[in-house]
Amino acid sequence: MTTTVTTERAPRRSSSLLYRRPKLRLGLLLSAPMLWLGLAYLGALAALFITAFWRTDPFTGKVVIEWSLENFTTLLTDEVYRTVTLRTLGIALLVTVVDAVIAFPMAYYMAKFASPRAQRLLVIAIMTPLWASYLVKAYAWRVMLSGNGVVHWLLSPLGLDSPGYGLPATVITLSYLWLPYMILPIYAGLERLPESLVDASSDLGAKPWRSFRSVVLPLVFPAIVAGSIFTFSLSLGDYIAVKIVGGTNQMLGNVVYDNIGAANNLPFAATVATVPVVIMLCYLAAVRRTGALDNL
């Protein structure tokens, strides 16, 4: 009898201990995801950074574990890689700006003017492209931007022509691909915006533009920042869209892909891959200094 009572009380004591210590319970719940994050993500980044200091034997093509800064020197001194880096950064910034300009009025209408039923339908319509294959959407834009595609057919009455394949086509395609990632955060931020603040601004005599600039934009700015993190980072690491519609242009992702595949230079590919990581860390640090992330 005594043994039975002891066996029954043991789990009760452990459960009561977890109940009394929520931090311990939270730590146990997060232990497996954090372990996976540490091994699969941070561990992979650490291995990537370490590999960047090695080199490849030009005769055998094998990786030689010799520590040097040769790869970083080549990356910083070669004008080609500087040009590719600036091009990639410019495309990522331009895609983010284009998506923000397009997404804001759409999200504002959804949050402030559309009926609840229309809101649900619009959210589904925005998320539907995310269910389609990336390649299907990218090749669809390749067809539309061709010399006799849909874009040419729409612009020809105006005396204009399709931009064809190149950097404009890359920006258009990436802006379309990542637009939902900008609309949804802004829509969520506008939904939390109290109508009383806009009404109070109007009652005090502010014009619509002044109300937008002084009331709406500062309060929704954290949501715009959240969307920009998605669009900027996804554009920064993309290499497929520019391969399909970019013509002869390259981005950092293409340099990484080519050095892993055709050139078989894994250390230099790892060196180039550190550039988007560093850029994103600087971007997040700059965003954090604005205080926008504190209000998300």
Side-chain angles (χ1 to χ4, degrees):
M1 185 66 181
T2 305
T3 305
T4 305
V5 173
T6 304
T7 306
E8 291 179 352
R9 287 182 178 177
R12 292 180 182 176
R13 290 174 182 172
S14 60
S15 60
S16 61
L17 178 64
L18 293 176
Y19 181 77
R20 291 196 306 269
R21 297 186 178 181
K23 291 184 178 180
L24 178 60
R25 185 170 67 250
L26 180 62
L28 291 175
L29 290 173
L30 295 179
S31 59
M34 294 303 294
L35 180 63
W36 173 255
L37 175 65
L39 292 177
Y41 184 71
L42 299 180
L45 285 179
L48 175 74
F49 186 69
I50 292 172
T51 309
F53 292 94
W54 299 343
R55 68 178 181 87
T56 301
D57 190 296
F59 297 102
T60 63
K62 294 182 179 181
V63 176
V64 179
I65 304 178
E66 290 182 2
W67 302 90
S68 70
L69 297 174
E70 180 181 353
N71 293 327
F72 290 96
T73 303
T74 303
L75 182 64
L76 294 175
T77 57
D78 198 316
E79 185 178 355
V80 173
Y81 299 117
R82 291 201 302 268
T83 302
V84 172
T85 301
L86 293 175
R87 180 188 300 134
T88 304
L89 184 60
I91 289 175
L93 289 172
L94 187 56
V95 168
T96 300
V97 172
V98 170
D99 279 346
V101 171
I102 297 175
F104 197 94
M106 296 177 64
Y108 194 83
Y109 172 80
M110 291 168 56
K112 299 302 178 183
F113 295 100
S115 63
R117 183 173 181 273
Q119 286 181 356
R120 291 191 293 269
L121 293 176
L122 288 172
V123 169
I124 294 174
I126 290 169
M127 295 183 64
T128 298
L130 299 178
W131 303 339
S133 169
Y134 177 102
L135 291 176
V136 170
K137 293 181 288 187
Y139 274 108
W141 274 104
R142 179 179 175 85
V143 173
M144 289 190 292
L145 292 169
S146 62
N148 52 357
V150 176
V151 176
H152 170 76
W153 178 71
L154 291 174
L155 295 179
S156 56
L158 303 176
L160 302 175
D161 198 2
S162 170
Y165 305 137
L167 292 183
T170 303
V171 173
I172 292 172
T173 303
L174 291 177
S175 298
Y176 166 77
L177 290 172
W178 313 139
L179 183 59
Y181 296 100
M182 180 67 78
I183 295 177
L184 295 177
I186 296 178
Y187 167 67
L190 286 168
E191 266 201 325
R192 296 194 299 266
L193 179 66
E195 289 285 353
S196 57
L197 295 179
V198 181
D199 294 338
S201 177
S202 300
D203 293 340
L204 292 174
K207 301 294 184 181
W209 171 246
R210 179 62 186 275
S211 298
F212 171 79
R213 183 167 54 88
S214 302
V215 178
V216 177
L217 189 59
L219 294 176
V220 185
F221 182 69
I224 299 176
V225 169
S228 72
I229 293 174
F230 289 110
T231 58
F232 184 76
S233 61
L234 291 171
S235 301
L236 201 64
D238 192 274
Y239 71 97
I240 300 177
V242 69
K243 200 79 172 179
I244 295 175
V245 298
T248 59
N249 296 287
Q250 280 192 323
M251 295 174 65
L252 286 172
N254 302 107
V255 178
V256 174
Y257 179 80
D258 292 341
N259 277 277
I260 291 177
N264 192 27
N265 192 347
L266 183 60
F268 189 73
T271 304
V272 178
T274 59
V275 177
V277 176
V278 173
I279 292 176
M280 276 307 303
L281 290 176
C282 296
Y283 183 75
L284 292 175
V287 167
R288 185 177 180 183
R289 289 180 65 87
T290 65
L293 295 180
D294 299 333
N295 298 321
L296 289 177

